[in-house]
Amino acid sequence: MTAKIIDGKQIAKDLLENIRLEIIERTNQGQRNPCLAVILVGDDPASEVYVRNKKIACEKVGIKSLSYDVESNISQAELLAIVNKLNVDKDVDGILVQSPLPDHINEEEIIHAIHPNKDVDGFHPMNIGLLALRQPRLRSCTPYGVIKMLKATGIELKGLDATIVGVSNNVGRPMALELLLEACTITSCHSKTKDLEQKVRQADLVVVAAGRQNLVKGEWIKKGAIVIDIGINRIDGKLVGDVEFDSASKNAGYITPVPGGVGPMTVATLMENTLLAQKLS
Ligand code: NAP
């Protein structure tokens, strides 16, 4: 078997086009364009690329983006002051603080300070809690992007045995909640999991978000399984995922490439969240 490649780039493009059309419709009815404030702390090159891509997507769909590029030595209080100012600004719908933040910044406190209805990354405890209670509002962009991608591919999720590798607050945990919402039976794995191979081998759907190149071996993939590789590893200037792509493609029914898989979906769902945040305001 050779797996079908899930083209995240194309699916994201279609999603962005729908968002663009909806924004035109809303502005024709007198609404202003949605507005996303992006806070970038310091000059981490990878973060700069991510932020640039998000701003390009904003331009494509008609979302106004505001840039807050601040020095890496900004204090916790100064960063909180920016967030608080944006929280009460009626012209700002979404607030995004690009991670990672410098070590001296308490990231948790910053995320918790963002108003839940402006939390377009979907990281605030209120939004994660709502997802856990099956009342999703602003959903974590990457896991939500994975769900949208699977649905756009026409994959029936109900009842699938899903193994998720990675349990981080921003990716692995909300991914598990999203798949539970879709009535999958979930197994969440982390660095202390016993026999990861066996957990992957029994899965109909494998979602990997560990940030470890080649962690999941191609031979572990069950015949016909769906493989979603969220991992991004920079190896000699090249981006690779967490799954052995070539060998996994021989067993899987569907597989996502890196790059061009989950990454573009994350940006597209951020745009969707910004539009939703405007509706919530
Ligand atoms: P993270 O916070 O470092 O979490 C990694 C998770 O993987 C942790 O739960 C960790 O377990 C688990 N893990 C690490 N080594 C493992 C092993 N050998 N076996 C099993 N589990 C293992 O990273 P993250 O923020 O979730 O991101 C994960 C990856 O996704 C990164 O490569 C990141 O760049 C990528 N990412 C991609 C997108 C996208 O749009 N494509 C978006 C966000 C993130 P413990 O909890 O036990 O430590």
Side-chain angles (χ1 to χ4, degrees), residues 50 142 165-173 189-193 196 208-212 215 229-233 240 242 261-267:
Y50 292 140
T142 302
V165 186
V167 293
S168 70
N169 286 352
N170 297 351
V171 188
R173 264 164 218 265
C189 304
H190 44 76
S191 63
K192 312 292 182 297
T193 294
L196 180 66
V208 192
R212 303 277 183 279
L215 173 64
D229 193 349
I230 297 177
I232 300 176
N233 307 287
V240 295
D242 291 347
V262 176
M265 294 303 299
T266 298
V267 178

PDB file of all heavy atoms in Angstrom, residues 50 142 165-173 189-193 196 208-212 215 229-233 240 242 261-267, ligand 1:
ATOM      1  N   TYR A  50       7.254  32.279  11.829  1.00  0.00           N
ATOM      2  CA  TYR A  50       5.857  31.949  12.156  1.00  0.00           C
ATOM      3  C   TYR A  50       4.988  33.204  12.141  1.00  0.00           C
ATOM      4  O   TYR A  50       3.895  33.213  11.576  1.00  0.00           O
ATOM      5  CB  TYR A  50       5.757  31.282  13.534  1.00  0.00           C
ATOM      6  CG  TYR A  50       6.362  29.900  13.597  1.00  0.00           C
ATOM      7  CD1 TYR A  50       7.098  29.481  14.691  1.00  0.00           C
ATOM      8  CD2 TYR A  50       6.188  28.995  12.548  1.00  0.00           C
ATOM      9  CE1 TYR A  50       7.654  28.214  14.753  1.00  0.00           C
ATOM     10  CE2 TYR A  50       6.749  27.722  12.597  1.00  0.00           C
ATOM     11  CZ  TYR A  50       7.481  27.343  13.704  1.00  0.00           C
ATOM     12  OH  TYR A  50       8.026  26.093  13.751  1.00  0.00           O
ATOM     13  N   THR A 142      -3.621  24.216  16.463  1.00  0.00           N
ATOM     14  CA  THR A 142      -3.044  23.038  15.802  1.00  0.00           C
ATOM     15  C   THR A 142      -3.971  21.824  15.905  1.00  0.00           C
ATOM     16  O   THR A 142      -4.305  21.218  14.868  1.00  0.00           O
ATOM     17  CB  THR A 142      -1.634  22.748  16.360  1.00  0.00           C
ATOM     18  OG1 THR A 142      -0.832  23.912  16.144  1.00  0.00           O
ATOM     19  CG2 THR A 142      -1.000  21.551  15.676  1.00  0.00           C
ATOM     20  N   VAL A 165       0.820  10.901  20.466  1.00  0.00           N
ATOM     21  CA  VAL A 165       2.140  10.913  21.101  1.00  0.00           C
ATOM     22  C   VAL A 165       2.470  12.365  21.434  1.00  0.00           C
ATOM     23  O   VAL A 165       2.619  13.192  20.528  1.00  0.00           O
ATOM     24  CB  VAL A 165       3.214  10.289  20.189  1.00  0.00           C
ATOM     25  CG1 VAL A 165       4.540  10.193  20.940  1.00  0.00           C
ATOM     26  CG2 VAL A 165       2.773   8.916  19.692  1.00  0.00           C
ATOM     27  N   GLY A 166       2.563  12.666  22.716  1.00  0.00           N
ATOM     28  CA  GLY A 166       2.767  14.043  23.173  1.00  0.00           C
ATOM     29  C   GLY A 166       1.564  14.494  23.975  1.00  0.00           C
ATOM     30  O   GLY A 166       0.417  14.270  23.550  1.00  0.00           O
ATOM     31  N   VAL A 167       1.831  15.102  25.122  1.00  0.00           N
ATOM     32  CA  VAL A 167       0.733  15.533  25.997  1.00  0.00           C
ATOM     33  C   VAL A 167       0.925  16.980  26.456  1.00  0.00           C
ATOM     34  O   VAL A 167       0.503  17.357  27.547  1.00  0.00           O
ATOM     35  CB  VAL A 167       0.583  14.604  27.236  1.00  0.00           C
ATOM     36  CG1 VAL A 167       0.126  13.215  26.829  1.00  0.00           C
ATOM     37  CG2 VAL A 167       1.888  14.532  28.031  1.00  0.00           C
ATOM     38  N   SER A 168       1.572  17.808  25.633  1.00  0.00           N
ATOM     39  CA  SER A 168       1.811  19.199  26.042  1.00  0.00           C
ATOM     40  C   SER A 168       0.482  19.942  26.168  1.00  0.00           C
ATOM     41  O   SER A 168      -0.521  19.563  25.551  1.00  0.00           O
ATOM     42  CB  SER A 168       2.698  19.908  25.015  1.00  0.00           C
ATOM     43  OG  SER A 168       1.972  20.108  23.831  1.00  0.00           O
ATOM     44  N   ASN A 169       0.493  21.022  26.944  1.00  0.00           N
ATOM     45  CA  ASN A 169      -0.733  21.808  27.153  1.00  0.00           C
ATOM     46  C   ASN A 169      -1.258  22.404  25.849  1.00  0.00           C
ATOM     47  O   ASN A 169      -2.462  22.521  25.664  1.00  0.00           O
ATOM     48  CB  ASN A 169      -0.463  22.955  28.134  1.00  0.00           C
ATOM     49  CG  ASN A 169      -0.326  22.447  29.549  1.00  0.00           C
ATOM     50  OD1 ASN A 169      -0.562  21.275  29.830  1.00  0.00           O
ATOM     51  ND2 ASN A 169       0.083  23.318  30.452  1.00  0.00           N
ATOM     52  N   ASN A 170      -0.361  22.786  24.961  1.00  0.00           N
ATOM     53  CA  ASN A 170      -0.784  23.507  23.759  1.00  0.00           C
ATOM     54  C   ASN A 170      -1.140  22.594  22.593  1.00  0.00           C
ATOM     55  O   ASN A 170      -1.857  23.008  21.686  1.00  0.00           O
ATOM     56  CB  ASN A 170       0.305  24.469  23.291  1.00  0.00           C
ATOM     57  CG  ASN A 170       0.599  25.557  24.299  1.00  0.00           C
ATOM     58  OD1 ASN A 170      -0.128  25.690  25.279  1.00  0.00           O
ATOM     59  ND2 ASN A 170       1.654  26.310  24.076  1.00  0.00           N
ATOM     60  N   VAL A 171      -0.588  21.382  22.578  1.00  0.00           N
ATOM     61  CA  VAL A 171      -0.798  20.518  21.408  1.00  0.00           C
ATOM     62  C   VAL A 171      -1.389  19.148  21.799  1.00  0.00           C
ATOM     63  O   VAL A 171      -2.536  18.838  21.463  1.00  0.00           O
ATOM     64  CB  VAL A 171       0.507  20.330  20.599  1.00  0.00           C
ATOM     65  CG1 VAL A 171       0.222  19.583  19.287  1.00  0.00           C
ATOM     66  CG2 VAL A 171       1.192  21.657  20.289  1.00  0.00           C
ATOM     67  N   GLY A 172      -0.617  18.343  22.490  1.00  0.00           N
ATOM     68  CA  GLY A 172      -1.032  16.945  22.738  1.00  0.00           C
ATOM     69  C   GLY A 172      -2.316  16.813  23.544  1.00  0.00           C
ATOM     70  O   GLY A 172      -3.196  16.014  23.205  1.00  0.00           O
ATOM     71  N   ARG A 173      -2.446  17.605  24.620  1.00  0.00           N
ATOM     72  CA  ARG A 173      -3.642  17.501  25.473  1.00  0.00           C
ATOM     73  C   ARG A 173      -4.910  17.943  24.752  1.00  0.00           C
ATOM     74  O   ARG A 173      -5.896  17.197  24.699  1.00  0.00           O
ATOM     75  CB  ARG A 173      -3.454  18.315  26.760  1.00  0.00           C
ATOM     76  CG  ARG A 173      -2.975  17.491  27.892  1.00  0.00           C
ATOM     77  CD  ARG A 173      -2.419  18.302  29.029  1.00  0.00           C
ATOM     78  NE  ARG A 173      -1.278  17.594  29.542  1.00  0.00           N
ATOM     79  CZ  ARG A 173      -1.305  16.751  30.571  1.00  0.00           C
ATOM     80  NH1 ARG A 173      -2.406  16.582  31.254  1.00  0.00           N
ATOM     81  NH2 ARG A 173      -0.224  16.083  30.930  1.00  0.00           N
ATOM     82  N   CYS A 189       0.170   9.263  24.880  1.00  0.00           N
ATOM     83  CA  CYS A 189       1.507   8.763  25.238  1.00  0.00           C
ATOM     84  C   CYS A 189       2.446   9.941  25.499  1.00  0.00           C
ATOM     85  O   CYS A 189       2.275  11.017  24.937  1.00  0.00           O
ATOM     86  CB  CYS A 189       2.084   7.934  24.101  1.00  0.00           C
ATOM     87  SG  CYS A 189       1.026   6.578  23.599  1.00  0.00           S
ATOM     88  N   HIS A 190       3.441   9.689  26.323  1.00  0.00           N
ATOM     89  CA  HIS A 190       4.424  10.730  26.682  1.00  0.00           C
ATOM     90  C   HIS A 190       5.762  10.050  26.932  1.00  0.00           C
ATOM     91  O   HIS A 190       5.915   8.844  26.665  1.00  0.00           O
ATOM     92  CB  HIS A 190       3.919  11.515  27.896  1.00  0.00           C
ATOM     93  CG  HIS A 190       3.360  10.641  28.963  1.00  0.00           C
ATOM     94  ND1 HIS A 190       4.165   9.922  29.799  1.00  0.00           N
ATOM     95  CD2 HIS A 190       2.072  10.301  29.246  1.00  0.00           C
ATOM     96  CE1 HIS A 190       3.405   9.208  30.601  1.00  0.00           C
ATOM     97  NE2 HIS A 190       2.133   9.404  30.274  1.00  0.00           N
ATOM     98  N   SER A 191       6.693  10.812  27.495  1.00  0.00           N
ATOM     99  CA  SER A 191       8.051  10.272  27.588  1.00  0.00           C
ATOM    100  C   SER A 191       8.169   9.122  28.593  1.00  0.00           C
ATOM    101  O   SER A 191       9.143   8.384  28.572  1.00  0.00           O
ATOM    102  CB  SER A 191       9.037  11.385  27.947  1.00  0.00           C
ATOM    103  OG  SER A 191       8.732  11.915  29.211  1.00  0.00           O
ATOM    104  N   LYS A 192       7.173   8.947  29.469  1.00  0.00           N
ATOM    105  CA  LYS A 192       7.238   7.848  30.454  1.00  0.00           C
ATOM    106  C   LYS A 192       6.365   6.661  30.016  1.00  0.00           C
ATOM    107  O   LYS A 192       6.225   5.691  30.766  1.00  0.00           O
ATOM    108  CB  LYS A 192       6.758   8.325  31.838  1.00  0.00           C
ATOM    109  CG  LYS A 192       7.344   9.639  32.326  1.00  0.00           C
ATOM    110  CD  LYS A 192       8.828   9.537  32.631  1.00  0.00           C
ATOM    111  CE  LYS A 192       9.402  10.833  33.176  1.00  0.00           C
ATOM    112  NZ  LYS A 192       9.343  11.981  32.241  1.00  0.00           N
ATOM    113  N   THR A 193       5.773   6.749  28.851  1.00  0.00           N
ATOM    114  CA  THR A 193       4.890   5.670  28.381  1.00  0.00           C
ATOM    115  C   THR A 193       5.682   4.384  28.174  1.00  0.00           C
ATOM    116  O   THR A 193       6.757   4.402  27.580  1.00  0.00           O
ATOM    117  CB  THR A 193       4.217   6.104  27.056  1.00  0.00           C
ATOM    118  OG1 THR A 193       3.355   7.190  27.336  1.00  0.00           O
ATOM    119  CG2 THR A 193       3.422   4.977  26.421  1.00  0.00           C
ATOM    120  N   LEU A 196       5.811   2.290  23.679  1.00  0.00           N
ATOM    121  CA  LEU A 196       5.184   3.203  22.723  1.00  0.00           C
ATOM    122  C   LEU A 196       4.843   2.461  21.420  1.00  0.00           C
ATOM    123  O   LEU A 196       3.787   2.666  20.822  1.00  0.00           O
ATOM    124  CB  LEU A 196       6.142   4.372  22.436  1.00  0.00           C
ATOM    125  CG  LEU A 196       5.652   5.422  21.463  1.00  0.00           C
ATOM    126  CD1 LEU A 196       4.458   6.182  22.016  1.00  0.00           C
ATOM    127  CD2 LEU A 196       6.783   6.406  21.121  1.00  0.00           C
ATOM    128  N   VAL A 208       1.176  12.486  16.058  1.00  0.00           N
ATOM    129  CA  VAL A 208       2.460  12.584  16.760  1.00  0.00           C
ATOM    130  C   VAL A 208       2.863  14.047  16.921  1.00  0.00           C
ATOM    131  O   VAL A 208       2.955  14.792  15.948  1.00  0.00           O
ATOM    132  CB  VAL A 208       3.563  11.814  16.009  1.00  0.00           C
ATOM    133  CG1 VAL A 208       4.804  11.688  16.889  1.00  0.00           C
ATOM    134  CG2 VAL A 208       3.071  10.425  15.608  1.00  0.00           C
ATOM    135  N   ALA A 209       3.088  14.445  18.178  1.00  0.00           N
ATOM    136  CA  ALA A 209       3.519  15.822  18.484  1.00  0.00           C
ATOM    137  C   ALA A 209       4.525  15.745  19.622  1.00  0.00           C
ATOM    138  O   ALA A 209       4.225  16.087  20.759  1.00  0.00           O
ATOM    139  CB  ALA A 209       2.322  16.674  18.868  1.00  0.00           C
ATOM    140  N   ALA A 210       5.716  15.273  19.295  1.00  0.00           N
ATOM    141  CA  ALA A 210       6.739  15.096  20.335  1.00  0.00           C
ATOM    142  C   ALA A 210       7.949  15.998  20.098  1.00  0.00           C
ATOM    143  O   ALA A 210       8.666  16.339  21.033  1.00  0.00           O
ATOM    144  CB  ALA A 210       7.176  13.631  20.381  1.00  0.00           C
ATOM    145  N   GLY A 211       8.190  16.360  18.846  1.00  0.00           N
ATOM    146  CA  GLY A 211       9.385  17.144  18.538  1.00  0.00           C
ATOM    147  C   GLY A 211      10.644  16.286  18.587  1.00  0.00           C
ATOM    148  O   GLY A 211      11.692  16.738  19.044  1.00  0.00           O
ATOM    149  N   ARG A 212      10.518  15.018  18.143  1.00  0.00           N
ATOM    150  CA  ARG A 212      11.661  14.090  18.099  1.00  0.00           C
ATOM    151  C   ARG A 212      11.706  13.435  16.719  1.00  0.00           C
ATOM    152  O   ARG A 212      10.814  12.627  16.398  1.00  0.00           O
ATOM    153  CB  ARG A 212      11.518  12.973  19.142  1.00  0.00           C
ATOM    154  CG  ARG A 212      11.367  13.425  20.577  1.00  0.00           C
ATOM    155  CD  ARG A 212      12.729  13.722  21.226  1.00  0.00           C
ATOM    156  NE  ARG A 212      12.564  14.086  22.616  1.00  0.00           N
ATOM    157  CZ  ARG A 212      12.213  15.300  23.065  1.00  0.00           C
ATOM    158  NH1 ARG A 212      11.976  16.288  22.219  1.00  0.00           N
ATOM    159  NH2 ARG A 212      12.101  15.531  24.361  1.00  0.00           N
ATOM    160  N   LEU A 215      10.900   9.511  15.748  1.00  0.00           N
ATOM    161  CA  LEU A 215      10.471   8.809  16.962  1.00  0.00           C
ATOM    162  C   LEU A 215       9.551   7.641  16.614  1.00  0.00           C
ATOM    163  O   LEU A 215       9.668   6.546  17.169  1.00  0.00           O
ATOM    164  CB  LEU A 215       9.735   9.796  17.896  1.00  0.00           C
ATOM    165  CG  LEU A 215       9.087   9.192  19.133  1.00  0.00           C
ATOM    166  CD1 LEU A 215      10.145   8.590  20.057  1.00  0.00           C
ATOM    167  CD2 LEU A 215       8.283  10.245  19.889  1.00  0.00           C
ATOM    168  N   ASP A 229       1.377  13.875  11.349  1.00  0.00           N
ATOM    169  CA  ASP A 229       2.672  14.237  11.945  1.00  0.00           C
ATOM    170  C   ASP A 229       2.701  15.736  12.223  1.00  0.00           C
ATOM    171  O   ASP A 229       2.829  16.547  11.304  1.00  0.00           O
ATOM    172  CB  ASP A 229       3.794  13.840  10.961  1.00  0.00           C
ATOM    173  CG  ASP A 229       5.163  13.887  11.614  1.00  0.00           C
ATOM    174  OD1 ASP A 229       5.269  14.410  12.744  1.00  0.00           O
ATOM    175  OD2 ASP A 229       6.129  13.395  10.982  1.00  0.00           O
ATOM    176  N   ILE A 230       2.577  16.079  13.498  1.00  0.00           N
ATOM    177  CA  ILE A 230       2.580  17.496  13.879  1.00  0.00           C
ATOM    178  C   ILE A 230       4.010  18.003  14.100  1.00  0.00           C
ATOM    179  O   ILE A 230       4.297  19.188  13.985  1.00  0.00           O
ATOM    180  CB  ILE A 230       1.721  17.707  15.156  1.00  0.00           C
ATOM    181  CG1 ILE A 230       0.257  17.347  14.885  1.00  0.00           C
ATOM    182  CG2 ILE A 230       1.820  19.145  15.650  1.00  0.00           C
ATOM    183  CD1 ILE A 230      -0.662  17.458  16.104  1.00  0.00           C
ATOM    184  N   GLY A 231       4.916  17.096  14.384  1.00  0.00           N
ATOM    185  CA  GLY A 231       6.287  17.458  14.760  1.00  0.00           C
ATOM    186  C   GLY A 231       6.995  18.308  13.714  1.00  0.00           C
ATOM    187  O   GLY A 231       6.793  18.145  12.508  1.00  0.00           O
ATOM    188  N   ILE A 232       7.786  19.251  14.211  1.00  0.00           N
ATOM    189  CA  ILE A 232       8.641  20.051  13.316  1.00  0.00           C
ATOM    190  C   ILE A 232      10.050  20.010  13.902  1.00  0.00           C
ATOM    191  O   ILE A 232      10.275  20.455  15.033  1.00  0.00           O
ATOM    192  CB  ILE A 232       8.181  21.522  13.246  1.00  0.00           C
ATOM    193  CG1 ILE A 232       6.738  21.628  12.721  1.00  0.00           C
ATOM    194  CG2 ILE A 232       9.121  22.339  12.357  1.00  0.00           C
ATOM    195  CD1 ILE A 232       6.188  23.054  12.725  1.00  0.00           C
ATOM    196  N   ASN A 233      10.970  19.437  13.160  1.00  0.00           N
ATOM    197  CA  ASN A 233      12.373  19.394  13.588  1.00  0.00           C
ATOM    198  C   ASN A 233      13.221  19.990  12.475  1.00  0.00           C
ATOM    199  O   ASN A 233      13.021  19.670  11.304  1.00  0.00           O
ATOM    200  CB  ASN A 233      12.797  17.938  13.844  1.00  0.00           C
ATOM    201  CG  ASN A 233      11.844  17.231  14.794  1.00  0.00           C
ATOM    202  OD1 ASN A 233      11.840  17.506  15.979  1.00  0.00           O
ATOM    203  ND2 ASN A 233      11.008  16.339  14.268  1.00  0.00           N
ATOM    204  N   VAL A 240      11.724  18.453   9.143  1.00  0.00           N
ATOM    205  CA  VAL A 240      11.218  17.071   9.111  1.00  0.00           C
ATOM    206  C   VAL A 240      10.299  16.864  10.312  1.00  0.00           C
ATOM    207  O   VAL A 240      10.378  17.585  11.299  1.00  0.00           O
ATOM    208  CB  VAL A 240      12.355  16.018   9.136  1.00  0.00           C
ATOM    209  CG1 VAL A 240      13.217  16.096   7.888  1.00  0.00           C
ATOM    210  CG2 VAL A 240      13.214  16.166  10.383  1.00  0.00           C
ATOM    211  N   ASP A 242       8.127  13.927  13.015  1.00  0.00           N
ATOM    212  CA  ASP A 242       8.483  12.964  14.060  1.00  0.00           C
ATOM    213  C   ASP A 242       8.316  11.517  13.592  1.00  0.00           C
ATOM    214  O   ASP A 242       8.636  10.583  14.319  1.00  0.00           O
ATOM    215  CB  ASP A 242       7.568  13.152  15.283  1.00  0.00           C
ATOM    216  CG  ASP A 242       7.824  14.457  16.021  1.00  0.00           C
ATOM    217  OD1 ASP A 242       8.857  15.104  15.745  1.00  0.00           O
ATOM    218  OD2 ASP A 242       6.999  14.812  16.883  1.00  0.00           O
ATOM    219  N   GLY A 261       1.865  19.930   5.745  1.00  0.00           N
ATOM    220  CA  GLY A 261       0.774  19.148   6.331  1.00  0.00           C
ATOM    221  C   GLY A 261       0.020  19.978   7.362  1.00  0.00           C
ATOM    222  O   GLY A 261      -0.799  20.831   7.012  1.00  0.00           O
ATOM    223  N   VAL A 262       0.353  19.737   8.618  1.00  0.00           N
ATOM    224  CA  VAL A 262      -0.380  20.390   9.712  1.00  0.00           C
ATOM    225  C   VAL A 262      -0.059  21.891   9.812  1.00  0.00           C
ATOM    226  O   VAL A 262      -0.924  22.693  10.168  1.00  0.00           O
ATOM    227  CB  VAL A 262      -0.081  19.668  11.050  1.00  0.00           C
ATOM    228  CG1 VAL A 262      -0.752  20.373  12.213  1.00  0.00           C
ATOM    229  CG2 VAL A 262      -0.526  18.207  10.974  1.00  0.00           C
ATOM    230  N   GLY A 263       1.172  22.276   9.497  1.00  0.00           N
ATOM    231  CA  GLY A 263       1.601  23.673   9.665  1.00  0.00           C
ATOM    232  C   GLY A 263       0.635  24.684   9.053  1.00  0.00           C
ATOM    233  O   GLY A 263       0.158  25.591   9.753  1.00  0.00           O
ATOM    234  N   PRO A 264       0.308  24.568   7.756  1.00  0.00           N
ATOM    235  CA  PRO A 264      -0.607  25.545   7.152  1.00  0.00           C
ATOM    236  C   PRO A 264      -1.995  25.534   7.798  1.00  0.00           C
ATOM    237  O   PRO A 264      -2.669  26.569   7.855  1.00  0.00           O
ATOM    238  CB  PRO A 264      -0.706  25.094   5.683  1.00  0.00           C
ATOM    239  CG  PRO A 264       0.471  24.207   5.458  1.00  0.00           C
ATOM    240  CD  PRO A 264       0.840  23.605   6.763  1.00  0.00           C
ATOM    241  N   MET A 265      -2.410  24.365   8.317  1.00  0.00           N
ATOM    242  CA  MET A 265      -3.723  24.288   8.970  1.00  0.00           C
ATOM    243  C   MET A 265      -3.747  25.111  10.258  1.00  0.00           C
ATOM    244  O   MET A 265      -4.760  25.708  10.614  1.00  0.00           O
ATOM    245  CB  MET A 265      -4.085  22.827   9.302  1.00  0.00           C
ATOM    246  CG  MET A 265      -4.306  21.941   8.110  1.00  0.00           C
ATOM    247  SD  MET A 265      -5.579  22.538   6.978  1.00  0.00           S
ATOM    248  CE  MET A 265      -7.035  22.549   7.992  1.00  0.00           C
ATOM    249  N   THR A 266      -2.610  25.123  10.958  1.00  0.00           N
ATOM    250  CA  THR A 266      -2.522  25.896  12.210  1.00  0.00           C
ATOM    251  C   THR A 266      -2.753  27.377  11.928  1.00  0.00           C
ATOM    252  O   THR A 266      -3.459  28.066  12.668  1.00  0.00           O
ATOM    253  CB  THR A 266      -1.125  25.685  12.848  1.00  0.00           C
ATOM    254  OG1 THR A 266      -0.986  24.295  13.149  1.00  0.00           O
ATOM    255  CG2 THR A 266      -0.951  26.487  14.112  1.00  0.00           C
ATOM    256  N   VAL A 267      -2.178  27.857  10.847  1.00  0.00           N
ATOM    257  CA  VAL A 267      -2.336  29.272  10.486  1.00  0.00           C
ATOM    258  C   VAL A 267      -3.789  29.543  10.070  1.00  0.00           C
ATOM    259  O   VAL A 267      -4.388  30.556  10.455  1.00  0.00           O
ATOM    260  CB  VAL A 267      -1.350  29.662   9.360  1.00  0.00           C
ATOM    261  CG1 VAL A 267      -1.537  31.114   8.957  1.00  0.00           C
ATOM    262  CG2 VAL A 267       0.090  29.413   9.798  1.00  0.00           C
TER     263      VAL A 267
HETATM  264  P1  NAP B   1       6.602  19.901  23.932  1.00  0.00           P
HETATM  265  O1  NAP B   1       5.925  20.876  24.800  1.00  0.00           O
HETATM  266  O2  NAP B   1       8.078  19.732  24.000  1.00  0.00           O
HETATM  267  O3  NAP B   1       5.937  18.474  24.217  1.00  0.00           O
HETATM  268  C1  NAP B   1       6.444  17.296  23.654  1.00  0.00           C
HETATM  269  C2  NAP B   1       5.637  16.121  24.149  1.00  0.00           C
HETATM  270  O4  NAP B   1       6.199  14.943  23.566  1.00  0.00           O
HETATM  271  C3  NAP B   1       5.690  15.941  25.662  1.00  0.00           C
HETATM  272  O5  NAP B   1       4.418  15.589  26.139  1.00  0.00           O
HETATM  273  C4  NAP B   1       6.683  14.797  25.844  1.00  0.00           C
HETATM  274  O6  NAP B   1       6.419  13.965  26.956  1.00  0.00           O
HETATM  275  C5  NAP B   1       6.458  13.995  24.570  1.00  0.00           C
HETATM  276  N1  NAP B   1       7.645  13.215  24.225  1.00  0.00           N
HETATM  277  C6  NAP B   1       8.907  13.673  24.082  1.00  0.00           C
HETATM  278  N2  NAP B   1       9.740  12.641  23.816  1.00  0.00           N
HETATM  279  C7  NAP B   1       8.974  11.524  23.791  1.00  0.00           C
HETATM  280  C8  NAP B   1       9.257  10.160  23.597  1.00  0.00           C
HETATM  281  N3  NAP B   1      10.498   9.725  23.372  1.00  0.00           N
HETATM  282  N4  NAP B   1       8.232   9.286  23.640  1.00  0.00           N
HETATM  283  C9  NAP B   1       6.963   9.710  23.866  1.00  0.00           C
HETATM  284  N5  NAP B   1       6.641  11.009  24.073  1.00  0.00           N
HETATM  285  C10 NAP B   1       7.638  11.901  24.039  1.00  0.00           C
HETATM  286  O7  NAP B   1       6.272  20.191  22.410  1.00  0.00           O
HETATM  287  P2  NAP B   1       4.915  20.747  21.730  1.00  0.00           P
HETATM  288  O8  NAP B   1       4.843  22.206  21.905  1.00  0.00           O
HETATM  289  O9  NAP B   1       3.774  19.896  22.125  1.00  0.00           O
HETATM  290  O10 NAP B   1       5.262  20.472  20.197  1.00  0.00           O
HETATM  291  C11 NAP B   1       5.499  19.167  19.725  1.00  0.00           C
HETATM  292  C12 NAP B   1       6.025  19.226  18.304  1.00  0.00           C
HETATM  293  O11 NAP B   1       5.008  19.780  17.476  1.00  0.00           O
HETATM  294  C13 NAP B   1       7.251  20.123  18.116  1.00  0.00           C
HETATM  295  O12 NAP B   1       8.064  19.557  17.124  1.00  0.00           O
HETATM  296  C14 NAP B   1       6.657  21.426  17.627  1.00  0.00           C
HETATM  297  O13 NAP B   1       7.575  22.177  16.850  1.00  0.00           O
HETATM  298  C15 NAP B   1       5.528  20.906  16.772  1.00  0.00           C
HETATM  299  N6  NAP B   1       4.442  21.852  16.554  1.00  0.00           N
HETATM  300  C16 NAP B   1       3.983  21.963  15.298  1.00  0.00           C
HETATM  301  C17 NAP B   1       2.926  22.795  15.028  1.00  0.00           C
HETATM  302  C18 NAP B   1       2.406  22.874  13.622  1.00  0.00           C
HETATM  303  O14 NAP B   1       1.650  23.769  13.313  1.00  0.00           O
HETATM  304  N7  NAP B   1       2.758  21.932  12.753  1.00  0.00           N
HETATM  305  C19 NAP B   1       2.345  23.551  16.037  1.00  0.00           C
HETATM  306  C20 NAP B   1       2.808  23.401  17.341  1.00  0.00           C
HETATM  307  C21 NAP B   1       3.865  22.532  17.589  1.00  0.00           C
HETATM  308  P3  NAP B   1       6.527  14.501  28.485  1.00  0.00           P
HETATM  309  O15 NAP B   1       5.290  15.327  28.689  1.00  0.00           O
HETATM  310  O16 NAP B   1       6.545  13.259  29.284  1.00  0.00           O
HETATM  311  O17 NAP B   1       7.788  15.304  28.548  1.00  0.00           O
END
